[in-house]
Amino acid sequence: MRGVIFDGKQTQVVDDLEIRDPGPGEVLVRVSAAGLCHSDLSVVDGTIPFPVPVVLGHEGAGVVEAVGVGVTHVQPGDHVALSTLANCGACAECDRGRPTMCRKAIGMPQQPFARDGVPLYQFASNSAFAERTIVKAVQAVRIPTGIPLTSAALIGCGVLTGVGAVLNRARVDRGDSVLVIGTGGIGLNVIQGARIAGALTIVAVDANPAKEAVARQFGATHFLTSTGGVKDVLPHGADHAFECVGRVELIRQAIDLLDRHGQAILLGVPPATAEASFLVSSMYLDKSILGCRYGSSRPQRDIALYADLYRDGRLLLDGLVTTTYPVDDFAKAAEDAREGRVARAVLTF
């Protein structure tokens, strides 16, 4: 079968991947579409360290092909969106409703794939850039068949992370002010999460002026090409500032632009050894800096919620898919994503 692999030096589309059968508590999914997220590119450029060789991809949707022993909530033929959260469901964090903190879901890559007898790692417990992938049962969330799979693919990372950061982590309230730095796939979902939450002022900042139209479509009330004009819109600063790029200088700007009691939420991913600074004295006005993993999501609950919001016309997915690419055109999709020519590239099989 076809898939996109990274061997530590280059990415390539291959057609001789093999995958094992699903074991107990696992689901085999025939992938129909997969979003190309910057986290995939960050593995390739070394920003995110990951063992190789690896099958890339982590934002996908498809059709269940087979299930292992003990799986009852999905069956062959079901349409599913895939999450990256292979949590155990039995530890204290899972029991508290915080599966993103499950230690079984972090740093334990599996090797369900092989090529010429050599095992390949699975990226983010998902590897959606393959015609078929195996996930834990908890990662496969059934969705209505009326949702296009090219749109549903985006729920499993961009929507869960962006909208989830607003609703689950920051808990933006009605009338709040929100600053969003970076309007890629994650930033756009932060914007629409703020709109859904009832934020009154949503200021989007992106150096590319061509992104203004889609940012406003998703709910931005203001658009700026730098943070220099934020205080003109929000003289006292923002209640919530989301950094969605992953640059330490922008993290500092997000913190500096907070109002009293404001909180900065970090979603962008800088290099693993990056350090950021802030003015300590400014924090004593009840300000906070919040990390956020995967939108603090509970995928079985949240994906179903977002699917319903999409069907009601309150959550936008189709506007994020500006271009679809056959998987064989992965190099072109990656180039367009790096250059910011598309809000989200989606690979199809």
Side-chain angles (χ1 to χ4, degrees), residues 17-106:
L17 275 181
E18 300 172 359
I19 191 167
R20 61 172 174 78
D21 294 331
E26 294 181 333
V27 178
L28 176 66
V29 177
R30 184 175 74 252
V31 179
S32 297
L36 174 55
C37 176
H38 276 278
S39 293
D40 299 301
L41 302 179
S42 293
V43 173
V44 176
D45 66 23
T47 300
I48 297 178
F50 204 87
V52 294
V54 58
V55 181
L56 295 173
H58 66 284
E59 186 181 69
V63 180
V64 174
E65 199 161 87
V67 300
V69 174
V71 178
T72 59
H73 75 291
V74 294
Q75 60 186 358
D78 284 347
H79 287 203
V80 292
L82 304 179
S83 88
T84 69
L85 204 58
N87 60 297
C88 71
C91 68
E93 297 295 350
C94 287
D95 195 48
R96 292 187 184 104
R98 299 190 302 209
T100 56
M101 295 297 103
C102 175
R103 297 183 189 277
K104 296 288 187 180
I106 302 174

Side-chain angles (χ1 to χ4, degrees), residues 260-283:
R260 298 182 179 192
H261 68 72
Q263 51 187 12
I265 300 91
L266 311 186
L267 296 178
V269 182
T273 57
E275 297 182 1
S277 65
F278 59 91
L279 192 63
V280 175
S281 61
S282 72
M283 302 303 294

